[in-house]
Amino acid sequence: MIAAQDTPGSPGRRRRRRPAALALAAMTIAAGYLAAIAPVAIAAVTPGGWYTVAAQSSGKCVDARSAASANGTVVQQFACNGTASQEWQFVATSNGYFRVNTRNNPAQVWDVADVSTADGGLIHLWTYGGGNNQQWLPVEETGGRFHFVNRNSSKCLDVPSASTADSTQLSQYTCNGTAAQSFALTPVGGDPTTPPAPGTPDLGPNVTIFDPSMSAATIQNKLNTVFTQQERNQFGPQRYALLFKPGSYNVDANVGFFTQVAGLGLSPDDVTINGAVHVEADWLGGQNATQNFWRSAENMSVNPTTGTDKWAVSQAAPYRRMHVRGNLQLDDGGWSSGGYIGDSKIDGQIRSGSQQQFLTKNSEMGSWTGSNWNMVFVGDTGAPQTSFPAPPYTAVPQTPVSREKPFLYIDQAGAYQVFVPALRTNSTGTTWGHGAQAGQSLPISQFFIAKPGMSAATINAALAQGKDLLFTPGVYSVSEPIRVTRANTVVLGLGLATLAPTNGAMALSVADVDGVKLAGLMIDAGSTNSPLLMEVGPTGSSGNHSANPTSLSDVFVRIGGGAVGKATTSVVVNSPNVIGDHLWIWRADHSTGVGWTVNTADTGLIVNGANVTMYGLFVEHYQKYQTIWNGNGGRTYFYQNEMPYDPPNQAAWMNGSTRGYAAYKVGSSVTSHEAWGMGSYCYFSSNPAVVADRAYEVPATPGVKLHSMVTVSLGGTGTIARIVNSSGNAVNSGSQVANLANFP
């Protein structure tokens, strides 16, 4: 979901399209490229520094085939996976040239085979002997990428034919300024053979732990380095967690894509940031925050230098266990399309600005100002009272059942532990602001610490041995599902750790057992269709877990966007009593691998279990029903949806004789269900004549109730004919917003 202002004062949502003129501009640049560049090594390459090197033409990483390091090992491109075979050290030789060592054996370097000077000369690893064919000059390009010129041949490192295939061997070719010769360098951690400090778990190279004894300049430099890389890196494979030990810091943390910034105290007040922890929208043309996804701020207090901190985000950007000693602004002047605050305290005012919808749960605020379409408050203090639709506030005084997200912390003895908050019922306010927190601390030794490159079989073996699971930041290719079978297992991801299923596999399955906690995970569908990506309880699950339910916190799914992705159904919840606390389940509508017949996906979420509760449920762009709810006793507190943008015509998007599919369908056999704060929007950009007959489809029975519903035709592009069943006004080019306070 993204948004832009179509007309003054009229909220609408459009994706920014890359102008066709850019392609012509790129060709023009390439034509004059050789004349324009100067063969000067760039200072941004730190001598002795370790980097991943990713090709612009494919987004894939330079890789040592099969993780080998012998003479003749092929240097290829391969999907970035965070393993040592994709880490390269740039060691200065002379006159700006570098040898490029492999992590697996630093004596082995990039080498042009047979000292060739011809186009197509192949690149492999070979023991460094000082040859010119083993030395490379990095030359900075516009946009911060680099090309690499061989000292012997004066030719550039090249992906042959700009291939996007895994295992393509790199070669040299006459420098031509194309994307096939342009590479992004990303710094990685130090020598993995160096043991961590005593008592510190080895969390891998993508986790940085700050100590208050470090200089502010050192910390700020690292924060800036990660942000510079991640500010625009919406679909890249890099993942980071930047963690602060208890203490006080005078820094400014600008949070980019796939970055988690978090404190390591037991209370948010154990870590104080004097400065800012913030998100703006400068990268997307300024002000437009509708693509500020996939990042988080957690478990810290902030003394904002200006008195107001800014968190201008949209989906999958949780703000959890935060204490702001001042105000909090949720937009950057342009449109922003929804977000989540949980278990947080804002001493001053929360200003929603242009936020189109928002959920605030179990939080405390001095006051709130702003509204647009759908603002929901559950278990909050200081929040507005229900006044839907003018303004569109929906307040639920108490949170009926919840468990906050587990988190990593350091105890007073300096030991790392994971705190698992206790189940709460009929709660108001934060878990941490009123005395000791209820919950359990688990020692880090109880956790298997997974790192990118590990197989699903290795991880499952650890789970089978009774371990809990901590995913360090990165992308994990899984050829079989991660199987959680033991009651009370904790599965916690750092830095938006991502499971990427291959060959149509499921990414994650959970048995029908008590008390599993899944948190901080993303699933990214593969190019081979997965019938199902995530299952909570097998089909037919019927256990009663009301005393100790499974909880899903900050769990996100993506179908396409970074590359082609396909999945018939994304998430199925079969177990009863499951609690969902902030889910974004998204079929991509922009970037790579996107199209009606490309990133195919029928349904985002199916709930079959009884007495399932969802807070902050975002489901978007699926090609049939977005959400199907078949279990009795279900409750949803805040639902946000966009229908698919891309039905090519009405005939392609029919449900029998019904035009289109509802965004939220309650099964015909359900006798009890209730939902608060429901938003569904259409933007049929491929064909504005497309119509959805209704946004919400429910059985007409007294036990099924919906409250505070809104539909929107974004920019008047397309029609939703009714809000729920046959009730409610149409939205279209003539009337873009419709509301219905209650049904029936």
Side-chain angles (χ1 to χ4, degrees):
M1 166 183 291
I2 63 171
Q5 190 167 345
D6 291 323
T7 58
S10 173
R13 298 143 81 87
R14 297 245 177 109
R15 301 292 184 189
R16 295 179 72 230
R17 304 293 183 185
R18 179 172 294 181
L22 286 182
L24 178 60
M27 289 188 292
T28 302
I29 291 169
Y33 187 80
L34 292 175
I37 63 172
V40 178
I42 47 99
V45 174
T46 302
W50 290 92
Y51 297 85
T52 60
V53 182
Q56 182 184 3
S57 55
S58 65
K60 296 187 173 180
C61 281
V62 178
D63 177 278
R65 182 171 291 175
S66 301
S69 59
N71 283 343
T73 296
V74 167
V75 175
Q76 62 181 11
Q77 70 174 8
F78 201 83
C80 299
N81 55 31
T83 61
S85 62
Q86 296 182 351
E87 296 181 2
W88 306 96
Q89 185 183 36
F90 284 73
V91 176
T93 56
S94 62
N95 298 325
Y97 285 87
F98 291 79
R99 54 181 280 190
V100 184
N101 305 338
T102 176
R103 174 79 83 176
N104 291 326
N105 181 358
Q108 299 285 315
V109 302
W110 293 356
D111 177 286
V112 180
D114 302 320
V115 201
S116 172
T117 59
D119 283 343
L122 296 175
I123 311 302
H124 60 194
L125 295 180
W126 205 267
T127 302
Y128 183 67
N132 286 345
N133 64 315
Q134 298 178 322
Q135 300 178 49
W136 303 84
L137 181 74
V139 181
E140 187 172 16
E141 302 169 351
T142 301
R145 294 184 177 88
F146 312 97
H147 61 273
F148 299 99
V149 181
N150 187 261
R151 193 168 196 168
N152 181 60
S153 65
S154 298
K155 298 193 172 182
C156 279
L157 186 69
D158 182 273
V159 179
S161 303
S163 172
T164 60
D166 283 344
S167 303
T168 300
Q169 184 170 6
L170 301 189
S171 65
Q172 67 179 6
Y173 201 84
T174 301
C175 298
N176 54 33
T178 63
Q181 297 182 350
S182 182
F183 297 85
L185 267 63
T186 302
V188 296
D191 187 346
T193 64
T194 301
T200 302
D202 181 4
L203 300 177
N206 299 323
V207 174
T208 300
I209 298 175
F210 299 121
D211 187 289
S213 65
M214 296 178 178
S215 72
T218 297
I219 297 171
Q220 192 64 59
N221 181 65
K222 180 63 177 182
L223 293 171
N224 292 347
T225 297
V226 173
F227 175 72
T228 299
Q229 176 191 303
Q230 297 301 100
E231 181 183 15
R232 301 171 179 268
N233 197 14
Q234 184 174 176
F235 294 102
Q238 292 78 18
R239 306 285 188 271
Y240 295 98
L242 306 175
L243 309 180
F244 291 79
K245 288 184 177 181
S248 183
Y249 301 83
N250 298 317
V251 295
D252 179 293
N254 203 343
V255 186
F257 282 104
F258 297 110
T259 303
Q260 176 189 28
V261 177
L264 288 172
L266 185 57
S267 165
D269 288 336
D270 291 340
V271 173
T272 298
I273 304 297
N274 300 304
V277 177
H278 60 112
V279 176
E280 278 88 25
D282 301 335
W283 72 277
L284 193 60
Q287 297 188 317
N288 181 2
T290 57
Q291 292 185 46
N292 280 355
F293 312 142
W294 301 310
R295 63 197 76 198
S296 71
E298 303 178 50
N299 201 30
M300 295 185 292
S301 64
V302 183
N303 293 322
T305 304
T306 64
T308 298
D309 219 358
K310 184 179 290 187
W311 191 253
V313 299
S314 292
Q315 289 74 33
Y319 198 79
R320 282 188 180 271
R321 290 179 59 83
M322 294 292 289
H323 183 189
V324 179
R325 298 186 183 96
N327 305 314
L328 183 64
Q329 182 176 332
L330 301 179
D331 74 328
D332 198 19
W335 287 111
S336 41
S337 65
Y340 173 96
I341 295 174
D343 201 21
S344 293
K345 182 179 181 182
I346 314 302
D347 291 350
Q349 186 176 71
I350 301 178
R351 304 167 183 173
S352 65
S354 65
Q355 281 287 348
Q356 293 164 331
Q357 60 278 311
F358 213 92
L359 173 66
T360 307
K361 173 181 155 290
N362 281 107
S363 293
E364 303 168 14
M365 63 197 80
S367 63
W368 176 286
T369 184
S371 64
N372 198 340
W373 295 331
N374 183 28
M375 303 293 172
V376 179
F377 308 89
V378 181
D380 296 324
T381 64
Q385 298 301 304
T386 296
S387 55
F388 189 90
Y393 295 148
T394 304
V396 179
Q398 293 182 318
T399 303
V401 58
S402 63
R403 181 189 287 117
E404 294 298 330
K405 179 182 178 182
F407 60 93
L408 185 68
Y409 80 102
I410 301 174
D411 67 17
Q412 292 184 344
Y416 283 74
Q417 303 204 48
V418 170
F419 189 80
V420 182
L423 188 71
R424 297 206 296 172
T425 57
N426 300 320
S427 62
T428 301
T430 67
T431 60
W432 51 270
H434 307 280
Q437 303 170 73
Q440 178 186 18
S441 290
L442 302 177
I444 198 66
S445 60
Q446 172 60 32
F447 286 78
F448 177 77
I449 299 177
K451 297 176 183 174
M454 289 182 177
S455 68
T458 298
I459 295 168
N460 283 332
L463 289 169
Q465 292 169 5
K467 287 286 192 178
D468 294 309
L469 181 58
L470 183 71
F471 281 102
T472 62
V475 178
Y476 295 76
S477 294
V478 292
S479 58
E480 60 181 279
I482 304 300
R483 294 186 174 91
V484 182
T485 60
R486 178 178 59 86
N488 300 311
T489 301
V490 177
V491 180
L492 176 61
L494 300 179
L496 291 97
T498 301
L499 304 180
T502 61
N503 301 321
M506 187 188 303
L508 182 63
S509 69
V510 180
D512 186 32
V513 295
D514 277 356
V516 172
K517 296 91 177 172
L518 300 179
L521 292 173
M522 183 170 173
I523 297 172
D524 196 2
S527 58
T528 300
N529 184 71
S530 292
L532 178 60
L533 291 174
M534 175 177 165
E535 179 181 69
V536 183
T539 301
S541 295
S542 58
N544 184 343
H545 309 296
S546 57
N548 187 13
T550 284
S551 56
L552 317 174
S553 305
D554 299 341
V555 175
F556 312 130
V557 175
R558 184 173 73 188
I559 313 289
V564 173
K566 300 173 184 285
T568 305
T569 302
S570 288
V571 180
V572 172
V573 176
N574 291 314
S575 286
N577 309 110
V578 170
I579 301 169
D581 186 19
H582 192 210
L583 277 65
W584 187 33
I585 305 171
W586 185 60
R587 173 179 171 259
D589 60 287
H590 68 284
S591 196
T592 302
V594 170
W596 188 251
T597 60
V598 181
N599 60 328
T600 52
D602 285 357
T603 304
L605 172 67
I606 299 175
V607 178
N608 296 320
N611 303 311
V612 170
T613 303
M614 293 283 172
Y615 304 97
L617 178 57
F618 301 74
V619 186
E620 298 192 286
H621 305 305
Y622 285 81
Q623 294 173 294
K624 293 185 178 179
Y625 288 115
Q626 312 289 305
T627 297
I628 301 173
W629 205 298
N630 295 320
N632 268 314
R635 296 172 293 190
T636 296
Y637 298 87
F638 182 96
Y639 182 74
Q640 186 272 312
N641 161 262
E642 279 188 357
M643 293 178 174
Y645 285 0
D646 53 348
N649 50 58
Q650 192 70 65
W653 200 51
M654 293 290 293
N655 181 16
S657 61
T658 300
R659 293 176 293 181
Y661 290 80
Y664 190 96
K665 174 181 171 61
V666 178
S668 59
S669 64
V670 173
T671 58
S672 60
H673 185 90
E674 196 160 7
W676 293 258
M678 310 283 285
S680 180
Y681 317 135
C682 74
Y683 180 65
F684 298 129
S685 56
S686 293
N687 188 334
V690 169
V691 176
D693 273 339
R694 60 188 61 90
Y696 314 111
E697 182 179 318
V698 304
T701 181
V704 176
K705 303 174 183 179
L706 305 182
H707 311 283
S708 303
M709 292 159 280
V710 59
T711 56
V712 182
S713 176
L714 301 169
T717 305
T719 297
I720 302 175
R722 291 288 184 266
I723 296 177
V724 54
N725 295 355
S726 58
S727 299
N729 295 328
V731 290
N732 49 39
S733 59
S735 180
Q736 295 182 23
V737 181
N739 297 291
L740 186 63
N742 293 288
F743 180 88

